[in-house]
């Protein structure tokens, strides 16, 4: 697939996402010669900035992000692609002015509109773009990239979908989940479907449970307004973590092509056992960070952060247990959790295999201490694929230890590519395989909606955890004493005692 030149129109270009992710990603793509000739990036902003002012702002964003890797000459070339367009989203006139600007010959008629704005504005921005014929594809393709969250719950997601589908066809909509652009996440598919030795083991007969942890050491920074209305369940679990779960558990798709991949992901989401309201407390846990120490520094609790009401019960930590009721996964618990201000920033998928039968070791010191096999998929900051195996310790006694087989995929001279680079390029190429189809979003909301509804009614109390810790005590989610959150990428010694049949 070759990318044609394109005009990227960014709504929310002066915001957080643009500073941290989008502009640095465009810069890197340009540096790597990946942006087709003639590609321009039009920023829509409410401030009356000149073109020069915008270029100096973007320069600062990139310098802050990439520090010593910044190159003045590369930036000067990149700056020629930048264009600032003054406009207020709330004013209809801004859209007709935008339409006039985009008629200039310097702008390619293939246009991608990137909506990095408050979700409450999605509908009206689309409506105005449509009214001004900006989604009309007679002169070139038109695509719209929508950042999450897509809706606030099932009902609002459906309402948003109904509204935007008046203006766009499904082929024009790119619902972004940047986790799908991450290196290890894409590698999950290769790891599972290009290695014949794994497939026979990848099911309920051999796997005890799967856990996915995304922990962050940062708090909510300046995003208080957004975050307080969202919380960890909507912000991370409903979107990124459920997507990771689908990739780890889905059936092999017929191809990497968009529809085949999405069909299989949807099947997983639909097979997840619904959580009834009565069962919510057994399946989900929420908590909020209190003050504490992160990386040696004293930090505020959530309630002391800017723009957070003193009585907020918004969760900054959420965990849940799910069951996928299909032939492959029936009875295997899937544990997912995420939190802000935790001890360490880390995203990991950990797959725990069942205990082997231990009869063989019955008269040895190993009989009670054979660890289970784990497959560890480190997503960030360390990208890795490891398999933990039990080996005999050198020496006279029959003692065992865990050794790790490393199938990590990046060589030291290979640079990691930010997820947004990949995804921004896919939009140009018209490849939607790493973007969400509406039924994925819809089914993901169906899973978490009952939890959110119960939490919304319980307003008197929310548990807390000290900032800088591994989160609250939520072990009640686990099915067996032997299961618990894993925090390390390297072998952890198990406290799990088994009987000689290997039954935990
Ligand atoms: C975003 C969430 O979608 O993902 C943020 O809104 C979160 O709250 C971020 O911090 C995590 O993404 P990454 O790529 O930094 O792991």
């Amino acid at each position: 697939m070759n990318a044609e030149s394109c005009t990227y129109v960014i709504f929310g270009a002066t915001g957080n996402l643009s500073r941290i992710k989008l502009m640095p990603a465009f810069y890197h793509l340009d540096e790597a010669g990946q942006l087709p000739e003639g590609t321009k990036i039009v920023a829509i902003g409410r401030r009356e900035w000149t073109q020069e002012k915008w270029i100096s702002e973007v320069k600062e964003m990139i310098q802050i992000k990439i520090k010593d890797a910044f190159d003045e000459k590369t930036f000067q070339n990149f700056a020629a692609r930048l264009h600032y367009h003054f406009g207020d989203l709330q004013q209809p006139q801004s859209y007709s002015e935008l339409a006039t600007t985009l008629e200039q010959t310097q702008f390619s008629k293939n246009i991608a509109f990137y909506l990095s704005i408050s979700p409450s504005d999605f509908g009206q921005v689309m409506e105005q773009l449509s009214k001004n014929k900006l989604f009309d594809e007679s002169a070139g393709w038109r695509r719209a990239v929508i950042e999450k969250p897509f809706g606030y719950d099932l009902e609002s997601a459906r309402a948003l979908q109904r509204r935007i589908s008046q203006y766009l066809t499904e082929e024009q909509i790119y619902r972004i989940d940047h986790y799908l652009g991450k290196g290890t996440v894409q590698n999950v598919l290769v790891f599972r479907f290009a290695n014949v030795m794994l497939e026979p083991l990848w099911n309920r007969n051999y796997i005890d449970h799967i856990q996915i942890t995304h922990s962050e050491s940062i708090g909510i920074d300046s995003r208080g307004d957004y975050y307080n209305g969202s919380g960890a369940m909507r912000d991370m679990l409903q979107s990124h973590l459920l997507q990771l779960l689908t990739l780890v558990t889905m059936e092999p798709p017929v191809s990497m092509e968009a529809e085949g991949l999405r069909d299989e992901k949807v099947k997983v989401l639909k097979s997840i056992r619904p959580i009834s309201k009565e069962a919510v407390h057994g399946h989900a846990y929420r908590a909020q960070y209190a003050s504490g120490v992160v990386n040696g520094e004293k930090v505020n609790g959530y309630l002391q952060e800017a723009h957070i009401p003193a009585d907020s019960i918004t969760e900054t930590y959420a965990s849940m247990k799910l069951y996928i009721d299909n032939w492959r996964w029936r009875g295997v618990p899937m544990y997912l959790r995420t939190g802000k201000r935790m001890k360490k920033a880390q995203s990991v998928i950990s797959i725990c295999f069942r205990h082997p039968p231990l009869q063989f070791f019955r008269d040895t010191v190993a009989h009670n201490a054979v660890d289970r096999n784990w497959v560890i998929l480190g997503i960030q900051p360390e990208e890795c694929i490891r398999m933990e195996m039990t080996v005999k310790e050198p020496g006279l006694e029959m003692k065992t230890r865990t050794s790790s087989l490393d199938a990590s995929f990046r060589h030291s001279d290979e640079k990691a590519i930010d997820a947004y680079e990949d995804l921004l390029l896919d939009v140009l190429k018209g490849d939607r395989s790493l973007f969400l189809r509406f039924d994925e979003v819809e089914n993901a909301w169906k899973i978490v909606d009952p939890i959110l509804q119960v939490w919304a009614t319980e307003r008197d109390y929310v548990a807390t955890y000290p900032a800088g810790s591994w989160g609250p005590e939520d072990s009640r989610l686990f099915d067996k004493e032997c299961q618990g959150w894993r925090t390390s990428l390297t072998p952890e010694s198990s406290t799990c005692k088994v009987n000689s049949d290997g039954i935990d």
Side-chain angles (χ1 to χ4, degrees):
M1 242 182 294
N2 279 326
E4 305 158 325
S5 73
C6 147
T7 305
Y8 247 112
V9 179
I10 318 283
F11 288 90
T14 55
N16 207 33
L17 181 79
S18 173
R19 288 173 182 277
I20 297 171
K21 301 282 192 185
L22 301 182
M23 291 304 155
F26 279 124
Y27 171 87
H28 279 138
L29 285 175
D30 197 25
E31 186 179 33
Q34 295 282 341
L35 288 183
E37 220 185 303
T39 296
K40 299 265 167 150
I41 300 152
V42 179
I44 314 287
R46 236 181 329 175
R47 299 180 192 136
E48 291 201 47
W49 280 349
T50 60
Q51 176 75 1
E52 290 66 42
K53 168 75 178 151
W54 173 238
I55 290 176
S56 77
E57 284 285 316
V58 176
K59 184 172 178 178
E60 199 185 314
M61 293 176 193
I62 295 169
Q63 281 172 327
I64 291 174
K65 175 80 186 199
I66 67 172
K67 305 191 175 75
D68 291 348
F70 182 83
D71 177 66
E72 184 63 40
K73 190 156 176 287
T74 309
F75 182 76
Q76 287 314 322
N77 291 336
F78 176 63
R81 297 186 183 276
L82 301 175
H83 185 95
Y84 187 77
H85 181 87
F86 164 72
D88 182 343
L89 297 189
Q90 315 302 334
Q91 301 299 328
Q93 178 198 346
S94 305
Y95 300 86
S96 52
E97 286 166 4
L98 176 64
T100 311
T101 300
L102 292 175
E103 274 166 20
Q104 293 171 19
T105 50
Q106 61 162 318
F107 297 115
S108 162
K109 299 297 169 265
N110 296 321
I111 306 179
F113 296 93
Y114 198 117
L115 273 59
S116 171
I117 51 176
S118 161
S120 55
D121 288 329
F122 287 163
Q124 56 133 342
V125 170
M126 299 273 197
E127 184 180 337
Q128 287 298 336
L129 290 172
S130 169
K131 269 193 181 154
N132 287 280
K133 309 240 172 320
L134 285 164
F135 291 142
D136 179 350
E137 295 199 295
S138 45
W141 53 252
R142 300 295 156 98
R143 295 170 187 155
V145 186
I146 312 181
E147 266 294 336
K148 61 159 258 285
F150 193 93
Y152 184 76
D153 54 14
L154 179 61
E155 205 183 308
S156 58
R158 283 179 171 159
L160 176 61
Q161 175 62 16
R162 272 196 301 276
R163 182 152 184 210
I164 68 173
S165 54
Q166 293 170 31
Y167 317 125
L168 292 155
T169 62
E170 181 64 24
E171 288 67 37
Q172 291 177 289
I173 305 174
Y174 287 68
R175 296 177 197 83
I176 200 163
D177 183 316
H178 76 280
Y179 266 61
L180 297 181
K182 292 191 187 260
T184 312
V185 176
Q186 294 186 30
N187 227 310
V188 168
L189 297 180
V190 178
F191 182 64
R192 285 194 56 200
F193 303 129
N195 293 300
V196 76
M197 62 207 260
L198 290 173
E199 175 54 23
L201 305 179
W202 214 254
N203 57 54
R204 60 193 298 264
N205 297 327
Y206 297 96
I207 292 181
D208 178 76
H209 74 276
I210 295 180
Q211 47 177 279
I212 303 179
T213 289
H214 168 85
S215 55
E216 298 181 26
S217 53
I218 55 167
I220 51 160
D221 290 336
S222 53
R223 298 166 76 218
D225 281 334
Y226 154 75
Y227 198 87
N228 200 52
S230 167
M233 181 61 88
R234 290 188 176 88
D235 186 52
M236 287 295 305
L237 277 183
Q238 184 273 346
S239 47
H240 308 319
L241 269 62
L242 279 179
Q243 279 295 318
L244 296 183
L245 182 67
T246 60
L247 295 178
V248 176
T249 57
M250 71 182 181
E251 295 302 313
V254 278
S255 73
M256 284 288 284
E257 180 264 327
E259 296 314 315
L261 204 62
R262 293 146 134 202
D263 284 348
E264 293 306 333
K265 290 199 282 166
V266 168
K267 280 191 212 160
V268 172
L269 295 170
K270 283 186 171 167
S271 308
I272 290 178
R273 189 187 302 165
I275 300 172
S276 67
K277 288 196 178 167
E278 297 67 46
V280 162
H281 291 297
H283 279 261
Y285 196 88
R286 66 172 167 175
Q288 203 176 65
Y289 62 82
S291 58
V293 178
V294 176
N295 298 328
E297 210 179 290
K298 230 175 152 292
V299 298
N300 280 337
Y302 181 69
L303 296 181
Q304 288 84 53
E305 303 279 20
H307 307 293
I308 304 300
D311 59 351
S312 169
I313 53 151
T314 297
E315 78 286 357
T316 60
Y317 174 99
S319 52
M320 65 179 173
K321 169 172 65 182
L322 299 171
Y323 290 99
I324 303 173
D325 273 341
N326 61 18
W327 281 86
R328 191 187 281 269
W329 296 115
R330 180 157 184 228
V332 179
M334 311 283 164
Y335 303 109
L336 280 61
R337 70 165 171 171
T338 184
K340 301 240 179 238
R341 281 282 187 236
M342 290 175 68
K343 193 174 178 73
K344 216 167 149 186
Q346 180 167 288
S347 293
V348 190
I349 303 173
S350 310
I351 295 135
C352 179
F353 286 76
R354 287 174 182 272
H355 254 116
L358 296 175
Q359 183 72 359
F360 176 71
F361 299 102
R362 67 183 174 280
D363 296 326
T364 72
V365 272
H367 107 269
N368 216 337
V370 172
D371 279 330
R372 294 168 296 183
N373 300 124
W374 288 80
V375 167
I376 305 294
L377 305 167
I379 294 162
Q380 62 188 31
E382 196 182 333
E383 292 179 308
C384 68
I385 298 183
R386 293 196 187 123
M387 270 191 229
E388 293 179 2
M389 316 280 289
T390 302
V391 294
K392 183 188 168 302
E393 274 189 21
L396 297 176
E397 271 184 314
M398 176 48 90
K399 273 188 170 174
T400 57
R401 66 161 74 130
T402 303
S403 180
S404 195
L405 302 183
D406 200 331
S408 300
F409 51 93
R410 197 181 299 289
H411 296 150
S412 54
D413 59 338
E414 288 168 336
K415 246 183 30 198
I417 294 174
D418 186 81
Y420 275 93
E421 294 177 37
D422 225 343
L423 298 172
L424 288 173
L425 210 54
D426 282 352
V427 175
L428 297 192
K429 293 177 185 163
D431 181 355
R432 292 182 302 135
S433 46
L434 298 179
F435 294 82
L436 310 184
R437 204 164 64 188
F438 180 62
D439 51 355
E440 290 182 72
V441 178
E442 190 178 32
N443 282 290
W445 279 122
K446 279 188 192 163
I447 296 163
V448 303
D449 249 18
I451 303 174
L452 292 170
Q453 282 164 13
V454 169
W455 286 356
T457 59
E458 293 175 349
R459 308 200 55 83
D460 295 338
Y461 169 76
V462 61
T464 57
Y465 58 99
S469 68
W470 273 115
E473 165 41 46
D474 56 358
S475 56
R476 71 175 193 214
L477 292 186
F478 290 95
D479 277 2
K480 304 179 200 163
E481 247 178 65
C482 215
Q483 298 169 341
W485 296 116
R486 223 191 122 117
T487 54
S488 160
L489 292 177
T490 49
E492 285 181 349
S493 75
S494 154
T495 49
C496 179
K497 296 284 173 259
V498 291
N499 67 24
S500 57
D501 300 326
I503 311 277
D504 317 305

